[in-house]
Amino acid sequence: MMERRMDTALLVLLMGHLAAALEVPLDLPQPPTITQQSPKDYIIDPRENIVIHCDAKGKPHPSFSWTRNGTHFDIDEDVNVVMRPHSGTLVVDISREKADHYEGVYQCTARNKHGTAVSHNIVIRQSRSPLWSKERIKQIVVQEGVSLVLPCRPPAGLPPPIIFWMDNNFQRLPQSSRVSQSLNGDLYFSNVLREDSRNDYICYARFPHTQTIQQKQPITVKVLNLEAINDTMAAFYNETDLFSEDPVDERKPTFLIPSGSSSSHTVLRGQVLEMECIAEGLPTPEISWIKLSGDLPTQRMSYLYYQKNLRIVNVSASDAGDYRCSAKNMLGSVHHTIHVSVKASPYWIGGAPRNLVLAPGENGVLTCRASGTPKPSITWAMNGIPIANSPKDLSRKVEEDTIIFTDIQMGSSAVYQCNVSNDHGYLMANAFVNVLSEPPRVLTPANKVYQVIKNHRARIDCAFFGSPIPKITWFKDSRSSTLDGDPYIQHDNGTLEIHTAQARNSGKYTCAARNMLGIYENHVYLEVKEPTRILKQPEYKVVQRGRSVVFECKVKHDPTLVPTMTWLKDDGELPDDERLIVDSDSLTITDVTESDGGVYTCIMNTTLDHDSASAELTVVEATPTPAVVYERPDPPTDLELTDQKKRSVQLTWTPGDEHNSPIQKFLIQYDDSLHHRGHWHNLTEVPGTRTTAHLKLSPYVHYTFRVLALNAMGFSRPSFPSRMFKTEAAAPDENPKDVEGFGTEHDNLVISWKPLTGLQSNGPGLRYRVMWRQKAVESDWTTVTVSNNSRFVVSGTPTFVPYELKVQAVNDHGVGPEPAIARGYSGEDLPVAAPENVQVVVLNSTLAEVHWDPVPHKLIRGHLKGYKVYYWKERSLHKHNPYHMEKLILMFSGNHSHGMVPGLHPFSVYSFNVRVYNGKGEGPVSPTQQFDTPEGVPGAPTSLIVTNSNLDTLTLEWSPPHDRKGRITGYTLKYQPVNNSNELGPVEELALLANETSVTLPNLKYSTRYKFYLNAKTVRGAGPAISQEAVTIVDEALMSLLDVDVGEGTAGSTQSSHPLAQPPPHRLPDEALPVSPFGNVSSSVGEDGPLISWEYWGPEKNVYVEYMVENSEGEQEWQKEPVNGSQNVVLKGLKGGLSYRVRLVAKGHHDQPLHHSEELLVTVPAVASRQVDIATQGWFIGLMCAIALLILILLIICFIQRNKGGKYPVKEKEDAHTDPEFQPMKEDDCTFGEYSDNEDHKPLKGSRTPSNGTVKRDDSDDSLVDYGEGGDGQFNEDGSFIGQYSGKSGSRDTAEGHESSEAPSPINTMNSLNSFV
């Protein structure tokens, strides 16, 4: 029993296989088959119209429909979408609507009475190439030898961009094993060198779909060598090593990416696997890869970016496993293991399901075999409906991936859909079951001739169709026996194969297709041809330079085949050189040069086969010969005319001297002194080896001939002209061309033609015989003869009747050949009748369809151009819109009887009429009719403003829609709060009456931003909403707690003050608050300057901060600081101790007003200017101590020198202190000079000013008080100075010290070092 069941299954499978191999002819009934569809993931260009393909075949031809995002897509409702005729392809015009409006999931359905086929889901997405976000990129300063990563971070596009790095000159930055780009576009340095310093590291992103390129702001990298800086500074400071840090040492590798010792990666079958390992180290590490669980697939893998990237294409399940990348240098190595998992989206096993053709009562099977990882699920549908919900069919049985049909009957034809899906994708295929009862037929053309070369394989086709499946039988010539044994092989598709064809196999073959309904025979022919063979091959040649060489290539081929000889040089085309002459069986090279050396191949091709042979040419130096002078040839001489006939003559001549360059050809020219005297025309060319030419001439021409010779140097001078040869006149050989007939008036016929030239006239007295007659009336030809003209006007003709026309050339020697008959029409007149039975059908509120009976052709009186529908809006049915509209015209070309009138205004009264028009103009107007359009969805309210903003209430006022499109039945108001992060809260909804234009909302939260949406309604539904935002007033009790004096900060403060934005002035309750796009504006002071923060919800993109000093004198302008899309900014460079007015500005287009926020008053605390924080560095503290000690020793020595002899210097210092200016210091006595202590606070000579550009008295390091005249100084009994050198700790900056006019300042030196660090 089990064996019988298996045999039955095999039989069903075999029948399904054979049935699937049949292609149903399109003249037979069959369900639809999708022939073309757009890809599943369809990325569109927003600059071009969208074309979504869907084509199908079937009998009858299928109709098409679409769904969009799972619901029916009504194409007629969208004026921008058109479906191509006889196709389901959609064309979307994006000139009036943005492309992103049509993003979504589309599916096409093709149906006829035999079934329904569906396309796969087509996801339409618009390609995007967003701009790079603006950012300020700081200079990167690194020490030589360390690693570095330059981020790219391109904007996310669709599809993703291609990343590359270039410089300012658009040259790619060099990459190496040390410097390379990662998969995400970042630029990695395993270690940096001094030559890596540059200011133009630029990351570019190329978006392939729109072919646009965007660039990131340039990155500046500065690489410092600290050892070199040490050497420079040691020269100034007695070779003291200022830097205690050592240069970067060599180090073993570590991975920059990926991190850790292991990671995992998942890839889909058939896709590309890319793994990367980038390491840092010194010296530069080398990267290597191995597969721990097997061998690397060398045929499908490649290394990129200096082996940092391992790329495997066409991934299969065998590529899963553990991969290890290793980074190694002379100091060690590091490893990272990547575990790769291979998943698979569904894929077919043995191909997608195939169409099944069965006869009534037969059995068949549809199979849908697929695999994937994880294992996919399989679902069936019939005619687009899940098979569980489809009509029951007793002959059908579904078993997982198979549908078995048993004893199928007529009416069971359908299209089955198989859907295979898992987590990674899906497959969908259509396969129809077509139940037919058809006698056999052979689809291969009858009497087709097959040609094959002897000893080659021959295949003779017999494509067939029938249901039940026909049996194919082959016969040859006498039909004595069937061809089913050696040497014949018969295939299932009917093809007969002969493995090795011989001459005896030529002949007539008969293919017979037979089933229970009949028999069909077809005859074809087989011709076995002789092969092409090269009998004499080209031979190896050695030739001297300047000589000639000939390669022979003699071939034998089948005489019934046309051969073609081709020569190659070094497997390429022959050079385009006149020295290479190709004949039917040879190649000649004249004046051989060194470049002619090489391998020459002759190839003989026929339509069935070819043969080839090769030989080498070697060029050697020629024996020295006297120099040869090359010149153009002398002109030919002794021109003679012989063998003179009516229309031909033979011309002979004697060639002139060639001047060492062979004559290549002769050019023969003529002059016609009868028609065009003095103009020479090219007649023919002959090879340079001939001196005779047989010339074909025209009648009635006075010929004079001359000859020119051509060699490699150019053309010779023309020869002396020959004697004149006059040909006899004759009747014309041809008639005028382009004969046309048309009318310019309603009662005439204009006949025009292209006249003959003088050379075509063949004789004197050229004229034209013009003939015409009505086509539909049995009448004789009317003839008139004209000359010197190319048109003739026939008057008094009936209006728009067909005529037959002829124009014949005539001269004094006879008439031309019988002319061909042309056709034309007499003149048109205006139509005399209007379309009748005009009716209108209103389809919806904006579209109507007009119908009419076509005007009879005889009443049109001309070429029918089409019909015009004039329509205009009489009035609106709403009392608020009573305007009148100008007439509009719709033109329908051709013989139409109806047309669509789109773009109508809802709830309006329209009038219209129809008229026919031809080439002359329009006909009478049909009676004017009227129709009403129903109500539509209203437009958005004209305006929505917020007034009377209080703590917990807001009043909204609005105006009704300008375009009501019906009677307004009410309004719907929705509102919701918006928090600081622009997140929307719960929505409240309020229904309002039609006559209301304002509403007050109570119980709102104070200091809260709300968003409002208001739309109007008619009986057809709600229209679009207008939105507005507003903020309730801040609780004044809360603001009073925050109302602090922000101007109290002083220079002596030890803590940073935090200025607050002043609250806005109190508004009267009945004032209308303008809607500001800014909210929650605040400030705080940090180390770098005031931080301004805010919230912004406006549409403008150009937002910036403006600030100016409070109470500034004069018309000081606002200073601007861009914010680059952020909602906070630090104002740097503000002067301490000053108050600033700060506000936010949003700028739209040039014709839009600016939006300002409320002003803040920000006070910057006065703190001491601070340099780079190096005061805590050990080397700096030691340096300062050494300098202080040196200065103390110097002061002690100076005071000892001045106090020799017992002088007490206090009196002198008191006198010097009263002077406005000290005397200069002398080098020999160390006295002080050039110091002023006036209110200008001038710095010492050579000293540095603070970074804010001011010098305060407390900041000076050389006050006299510091030397003992203040309370802190001390003297001993003899007046010598014994106090410590110290500044005022409360006000002096530690980074500013004493500096004399003669010695370099160590503080200056350290400040200059700060620019490097």
Side-chain angles (χ1 to χ4, degrees):
M1 186 66 180
M2 181 63 70
E3 292 180 357
R4 182 178 178 182
R5 183 178 301 171
M6 292 178 62
D7 291 342
T8 303
L10 289 174
L11 177 61
V12 171
L13 289 174
L14 178 61
M15 294 183 65
H17 172 73
L18 292 176
L22 298 180
E23 182 73 20
V24 182
L26 273 178
D27 62 334
L28 295 179
Q30 57 184 291
T33 300
I34 301 289
T35 58
Q36 183 185 16
Q37 55 186 324
S38 293
K40 293 180 180 178
D41 193 4
Y42 187 12
I43 300 177
I44 59 173
D45 190 333
R47 301 166 298 184
E48 299 177 356
N49 288 343
I50 306 171
V51 180
I52 312 176
H53 289 284
C54 180
D55 288 297
K57 65 179 181 178
K59 182 69 174 182
H61 190 74
S63 61
F64 298 89
S65 63
W66 286 85
T67 62
R68 177 182 177 187
N69 297 328
T71 60
H72 175 65
F73 184 30
D74 193 346
I75 299 166
D76 296 333
E77 289 292 328
D78 196 327
V79 297
N80 299 324
V81 182
V82 176
M83 184 183 293
R84 288 178 176 172
H86 312 294
S87 170
T89 297
L90 299 183
V91 180
V92 183
D93 182 2
I94 64 170
S95 61
R96 293 170 290 186
E97 187 70 63
K98 291 185 177 179
D100 58 5
H101 177 75
Y102 292 96
E103 290 185 328
V105 181
Y106 293 78
Q107 189 172 39
C108 171
T109 301
R111 58 170 54 87
N112 64 14
K113 65 181 181 180
H114 301 295
T116 301
V118 296
S119 71
H120 54 228
N121 288 337
I122 303 171
V123 181
I124 303 294
R125 294 187 295 168
Q126 173 186 326
S127 65
R128 288 176 171 83
S129 52
L131 297 176
W132 224 302
S133 60
K134 293 183 179 179
E135 58 179 329
R136 289 186 176 179
I137 301 179
K138 296 182 179 180
Q139 172 180 307
I140 299 175
V141 180
V142 295
Q143 184 177 352
E144 183 178 15
V146 302
S147 62
L148 176 65
V149 181
L150 300 185
C152 179
R153 302 190 188 99
L158 184 66
I162 299 172
I163 307 302
F164 52 94
W165 289 79
M166 303 179 76
D167 59 15
N168 277 332
N169 298 321
F170 300 102
Q171 300 296 317
R172 285 188 179 270
L173 293 175
Q175 297 190 23
S176 63
S177 58
R178 185 179 62 85
V179 183
S180 62
Q181 178 180 318
S182 66
L183 291 177
N184 67 355
D186 294 346
L187 192 63
Y188 281 78
F189 295 76
S190 296
N191 51 77
V192 293
L193 303 177
R194 290 294 297 275
E195 55 262 30
D196 293 327
S197 296
R198 61 190 306 156
N199 60 359
D200 58 351
Y201 286 96
I202 306 174
C203 182
Y204 286 83
R206 179 169 67 86
F207 296 89
H209 209 79
T210 56
Q211 294 301 316
T212 57
I213 296 178
Q214 298 181 22
Q215 73 174 65
K216 185 184 179 78
Q217 291 293 325
I219 301 176
T220 299
V221 174
K222 194 166 187 179
V223 182
L224 297 182
N225 186 327
L226 296 182
E227 184 177 352
I229 298 176
N230 258 336
D231 294 341
T232 303
M233 295 306 302
F236 287 97
Y237 298 103
N238 300 324
E239 298 185 358
T240 300
D241 189 0
L242 301 181
F243 292 91
S244 60
E245 296 183 0
D246 295 329
V248 175
D249 293 331
E250 294 182 344
R251 60 192 181 278
K252 65 178 293 186
T254 58
F255 280 117
L256 298 174
I257 52 173
S259 60
S261 61
S262 64
S263 59
S264 60
H265 190 88
T266 301
V267 64
L268 292 182
R269 173 183 178 271
Q271 295 187 352
V272 177
L273 170 62
E274 286 190 300
M275 298 176 286
E276 67 176 346
C277 286
I278 301 179
E280 66 92 18
L282 190 66
T284 302
E286 294 181 356
I287 305 296
S288 61
W289 294 83
I290 61 171
K291 185 178 181 181
L292 299 177
S293 54
D295 296 329
L296 291 172
T298 56
Q299 299 299 321
R300 296 182 288 111
M301 60 163 277
S302 59
Y303 295 110
L304 302 177
Y305 299 113
Y306 302 91
Q307 288 200 301
K308 299 177 185 179
N309 186 318
L310 175 60
R311 190 171 191 265
I312 301 176
V313 299
N314 193 20
V315 170
S316 64
S318 63
D319 295 321
D322 293 332
Y323 294 78
R324 188 173 73 181
C325 62
S326 301
K328 182 179 180 181
N329 66 8
M330 58 187 296
L331 299 180
S333 62
V334 65
H335 309 286
H336 184 92
T337 302
I338 303 175
H339 179 72
V340 175
S341 300
V342 178
K343 305 294 183 180
S345 58
Y347 57 92
W348 298 117
I349 299 176
R354 290 171 288 185
N355 295 334
L356 188 61
V357 179
L358 297 174
E362 283 192 322
N363 302 329
V365 63
L366 280 181
T367 58
C368 179
R369 293 179 180 168
S371 182
T373 306
K375 183 179 179 180
S377 61
I378 298 176
T379 59
W380 287 94
M382 187 183 82
N383 294 332
I385 301 173
I387 200 164
N389 302 331
S390 301
K392 299 298 182 182
D393 188 343
L394 297 179
S395 66
R396 182 183 66 219
K397 182 179 180 182
V398 180
E399 294 184 355
E400 295 184 354
D401 60 355
T402 304
I403 301 180
I404 300 174
F405 298 93
T406 306
D407 192 20
I408 198 166
Q409 299 300 320
M410 298 294 292
S412 295
S413 296
V415 182
Y416 290 86
Q417 288 81 34
C418 169
N419 190 300
V420 186
S421 62
N422 65 6
D423 296 339
H424 304 291
Y426 77 96
L427 293 173
M428 201 281 290
N430 293 276
F432 67 65
V433 175
N434 196 10
V435 183
L436 289 175
S437 181
E438 285 291 327
R441 63 172 74 180
V442 176
L443 307 179
T444 301
N447 301 315
K448 183 176 181 179
V449 178
Y450 293 87
Q451 295 180 334
V452 67
I453 294 296
K454 182 180 177 181
N455 295 323
H456 283 63
R457 188 190 309 271
R459 288 190 178 95
I460 312 173
D461 294 330
C462 181
F464 62 91
F465 180 79
S467 183
I469 299 173
K471 179 181 179 182
I472 302 301
T473 307
W474 282 94
F475 303 93
K476 183 176 184 298
D477 296 334
S478 63
R479 302 171 60 114
S480 59
S481 61
T482 59
L483 307 178
D484 54 3
D486 189 63
Y488 302 103
I489 302 173
Q490 184 172 331
H491 296 277
D492 292 340
N493 63 357
T495 298
L496 182 67
E497 179 180 334
I498 305 173
H499 188 267
T500 305
Q502 302 296 325
R504 64 177 179 273
N505 298 128
S506 297
K508 176 182 175 182
Y509 287 79
T510 301
C511 164
R514 179 185 293 106
N515 69 8
M516 59 186 297
L517 301 178
I519 185 171
Y520 190 100
E521 292 187 352
N522 189 53
H523 305 294
V524 294
Y525 297 87
L526 175 64
E527 296 178 355
V528 181
K529 305 292 185 179
E530 289 294 326
T532 301
R533 291 290 178 264
I534 295 178
L535 301 179
K536 185 174 183 180
Q537 299 184 358
E539 298 177 351
Y540 173 72
K541 302 281 186 178
V542 178
V543 65
Q544 292 182 346
R545 185 166 57 88
R547 299 292 182 89
S548 298
V549 64
V550 177
F551 288 110
E552 289 185 301
C553 186
K554 297 188 181 296
V555 181
K556 175 188 177 182
H557 60 86
D558 192 285
T560 61
L561 299 179
V562 178
T564 302
M565 176 70 75
T566 303
W567 285 88
L568 303 179
K569 179 177 184 287
D570 296 329
D571 293 331
E573 294 184 356
L574 286 179
D576 186 10
D577 195 329
E578 296 178 349
R579 298 180 300 106
L580 279 68
I581 304 169
V582 178
D583 290 328
S584 60
D585 57 1
S586 66
L587 169 65
T588 302
I589 307 175
T590 62
D591 191 19
V592 172
T593 65
E594 288 83 353
S595 63
D596 294 326
V599 176
Y600 290 84
T601 304
C602 72
I603 303 175
M604 177 60 72
N605 289 288
T606 67
T607 55
L608 297 180
D609 68 340
H610 72 277
D611 196 12
S612 63
S614 301
E616 185 178 359
L617 171 64
T618 301
V619 181
V620 297
E621 281 294 328
T623 304
T625 56
V628 179
V629 178
Y630 300 97
E631 295 181 2
R632 292 189 296 174
D634 290 340
T637 58
D638 303 330
L639 273 64
E640 184 178 355
L641 299 176
T642 58
D643 195 16
Q644 301 176 9
K645 297 180 181 179
K646 287 186 177 182
R647 296 200 181 187
S648 66
V649 70
Q650 184 167 291
L651 175 66
T652 60
W653 63 91
T654 301
D657 192 346
E658 295 180 346
H659 292 294
N660 299 314
S661 178
I663 294 177
Q664 300 170 358
K665 65 180 179 180
F666 292 98
L667 174 63
I668 302 172
Q669 298 178 330
Y670 75 92
D671 171 54
D672 180 9
S673 59
L674 179 61
H675 299 103
H676 211 189
R677 179 186 294 272
H679 289 79
W680 290 93
H681 307 275
N682 294 340
L683 181 60
T684 187
E685 295 178 352
V686 296
T689 57
R690 294 174 53 184
T691 58
T692 301
H694 188 76
L695 308 178
K696 294 182 178 180
L697 310 176
S698 298
Y700 195 54
V701 179
H702 295 178
Y703 285 100
T704 303
F705 303 99
R706 71 181 187 184
V707 183
L708 295 84
L710 175 70
N711 67 4
M713 306 306 294
F715 275 105
S716 68
R717 297 188 307 278
S719 67
F720 288 108
S722 68
R723 62 181 176 86
M724 182 179 293
F725 178 70
K726 299 179 181 180
T727 55
E728 298 179 0
D733 294 327
E734 54 185 313
N735 290 312
K737 298 179 180 179
D738 302 332
V739 178
E740 295 180 347
F742 55 90
T744 57
E745 299 293 339
H746 68 89
D747 58 351
N748 75 359
L749 171 67
V750 178
I751 305 172
S752 66
W753 60 90
K754 182 179 179 180
L756 301 179
T757 63
L759 198 62
Q760 294 172 319
S761 65
N762 284 7
L766 177 64
R767 50 199 182 274
Y768 303 100
R769 183 177 296 171
V770 183
M771 295 165 278
W772 69 92
R773 70 179 179 187
Q774 285 194 34
K775 180 180 180 183
V777 180
E778 291 293 336
S779 60
D780 296 331
W781 290 93
T782 302
T783 304
V784 66
T785 301
V786 299
S787 59
N788 299 324
N789 210 333
S790 61
R791 60 184 290 170
F792 179 76
V793 180
V794 181
S795 301
T797 63
T799 301
F800 196 68
V801 295
Y803 278 85
E804 293 182 336
L805 316 169
K806 295 193 294 185
V807 179
Q808 187 176 33
V810 182
N811 64 15
D812 294 346
H813 291 265
V815 299
E818 179 64 23
I821 296 177
R823 290 172 175 80
Y825 281 85
S826 59
E828 299 179 79
D829 203 350
L830 295 177
V832 296
E836 297 180 351
N837 194 22
V838 178
Q839 298 177 0
V840 64
V841 178
V842 179
L843 300 179
N844 54 44
S845 60
T846 61
L847 180 65
E849 185 175 17
V850 179
H851 294 262
W852 61 87
D853 291 341
V855 176
H857 184 72
K858 63 181 180 179
L859 301 179
I860 296 176
R861 303 201 299 175
H863 295 287
L864 173 63
K865 298 297 184 181
Y867 291 85
K868 295 183 181 180
V869 176
Y870 285 74
Y871 67 101
W872 61 95
K873 182 178 177 180
E874 293 284 2
R875 67 185 184 279
S876 173
L877 291 174
H878 196 283
K879 62 181 180 179
H880 295 284
N881 297 316
Y883 64 90
H884 179 76
M885 187 176 177
E886 293 184 359
K887 287 186 178 181
L888 301 174
I889 304 175
L890 280 176
M891 302 177 66
F892 301 95
S893 301
N895 191 18
H896 283 267
S897 61
H898 66 279
M900 295 290 183
V901 182
L904 303 177
H905 288 250
F907 206 51
S908 303
V909 178
Y910 276 87
S911 296
F912 77 98
N913 55 52
V914 185
R915 59 196 76 180
V916 68
Y917 69 101
N918 59 18
K920 191 72 173 179
E922 298 176 359
V925 180
S926 70
T928 300
Q929 302 185 35
Q930 288 189 346
F931 63 90
D932 299 345
T933 56
E935 294 188 48
V937 175
T942 306
S943 64
L944 175 63
I945 61 175
V946 182
T947 63
N948 297 339
S949 175
N950 293 311
L951 285 177
D952 59 352
T953 63
L954 287 173
T955 299
L956 301 177
E957 297 181 358
W958 65 87
S959 300
H962 175 71
D963 194 0
R964 305 194 180 198
K965 300 180 182 178
R967 296 183 179 89
I968 301 299
T969 60
Y971 296 90
T972 299
L973 174 65
K974 297 180 181 179
Y975 60 95
Q976 58 190 141
V978 184
N979 63 16
N980 292 341
S981 59
N982 290 331
E983 295 177 348
L984 299 175
V987 178
E988 301 288 341
E989 184 172 333
L990 186 63
L992 304 173
L993 298 178
N995 58 355
E996 291 189 78
T997 59
S998 66
V999 66
T1000 299
L1001 301 178
N1003 301 324
L1004 302 179
K1005 296 180 181 179
Y1006 65 83
S1007 185
T1008 302
R1009 178 157 55 102
Y1010 283 87
K1011 190 163 188 177
F1012 303 93
Y1013 314 87
L1014 180 71
N1015 58 2
K1017 297 184 292 183
T1018 65
V1019 294
R1020 290 298 301 275
I1026 184 174
S1027 64
Q1028 186 58 277
E1029 295 188 14
V1031 181
T1032 55
I1033 293 179
V1034 179
D1035 191 345
E1036 295 183 1
L1038 175 63
M1039 289 303 297
S1040 63
L1041 297 176
L1042 302 176
D1043 189 9
V1044 298
D1045 185 5
V1046 298
E1048 294 179 357
T1050 63
S1053 305
T1054 59
Q1055 295 181 352
S1056 299
S1057 63
H1058 297 275
L1060 296 176
Q1062 301 299 317
H1066 179 68
R1067 297 182 182 273
L1068 294 178
D1070 57 349
E1071 284 185 336
L1073 286 174
V1075 179
S1076 172
F1078 297 100
N1080 294 338
V1081 183
S1082 62
S1083 68
S1084 61
V1085 175
E1087 294 183 355
D1088 296 332
L1091 172 66
I1092 311 299
S1093 303
W1094 65 91
E1095 294 181 3
Y1096 176 69
W1097 52 83
E1100 292 82 9
K1101 301 299 183 184
N1102 188 5
V1103 179
Y1104 51 89
V1105 176
E1106 290 186 339
Y1107 61 91
M1108 65 185 303
V1109 178
E1110 184 188 24
N1111 301 326
S1112 58
E1113 298 181 359
E1115 297 295 331
Q1116 181 180 357
E1117 295 184 355
W1118 289 89
Q1119 303 295 316
K1120 296 181 180 180
E1121 181 72 24
V1123 301
N1124 294 330
S1126 66
Q1127 295 193 357
N1128 58 74
V1129 67
V1130 176
L1131 299 180
K1132 299 181 179 180
L1134 303 186
K1135 296 182 179 180
L1138 297 179
S1139 296
Y1140 288 84
R1141 296 163 56 196
V1142 180
R1143 67 183 183 183
L1144 287 147
V1145 181
K1147 182 179 180 182
H1149 298 295
H1150 60 83
D1151 56 348
Q1152 294 179 346
L1154 298 177
H1155 296 286
H1156 298 88
S1157 70
E1158 297 288 345
E1159 290 187 9
L1160 291 178
L1161 185 62
V1162 177
T1163 300
V1164 182
V1167 296
S1169 176
R1170 195 160 61 108
Q1171 298 290 337
V1172 177
D1173 189 12
I1174 59 174
T1176 60
Q1177 301 294 320
W1179 62 268
F1180 181 77
I1181 295 174
L1183 177 65
M1184 291 297 101
C1185 293
I1187 294 174
L1189 181 61
L1190 291 174
I1191 294 175
L1192 180 60
I1193 295 173
L1194 178 64
L1195 290 175
I1196 293 174
I1197 294 174
C1198 288
F1199 275 100
I1200 292 174
Q1201 285 289 99
R1202 295 193 60 185
N1203 288 284
K1204 285 181 179 180
K1207 292 184 178 181
Y1208 192 72
V1210 175
K1211 177 61 178 166
E1212 297 177 7
K1213 291 186 179 182
E1214 290 175 352
D1215 295 337
H1217 187 63
T1218 61
D1219 294 337
E1221 191 174 81
F1222 285 100
Q1223 294 297 320
M1225 176 186 282
K1226 308 298 183 181
E1227 291 186 3
D1228 54 352
D1229 61 3
C1230 298
T1231 58
F1232 293 86
E1234 293 190 12
Y1235 179 86
S1236 65
D1237 197 20
N1238 55 21
E1239 294 182 357
D1240 290 338
H1241 307 301
K1242 295 179 182 179
L1244 288 176
K1245 237 182 205 180
S1247 67
R1248 290 176 60 86
T1249 61
S1251 60
N1252 61 6
T1254 62
V1255 178
K1256 300 179 179 57
R1257 182 180 186 91
D1258 293 340
D1259 291 339
S1260 173
D1261 288 331
D1262 271 337
S1263 169
L1264 285 179
V1265 177
D1266 296 339
Y1267 293 104
E1269 291 190 8
D1272 296 335
Q1274 295 182 5
F1275 292 86
N1276 59 10
E1277 292 180 355
D1278 64 353
S1280 61
F1281 182 73
I1282 61 174
Q1284 286 284 345
Y1285 169 71
S1286 63
K1288 297 181 180 180
S1289 61
S1291 60
R1292 178 173 295 119
D1293 191 307
T1294 60
E1296 296 177 3
H1298 177 274
E1299 180 181 351
S1300 70
S1301 60
E1302 289 80 21
S1305 170
I1307 303 303
N1308 278 350
T1309 304
M1310 293 316 303
N1311 284 335
S1312 65
L1313 287 178
N1314 288 336
S1315 64
F1316 289 95
V1317 178

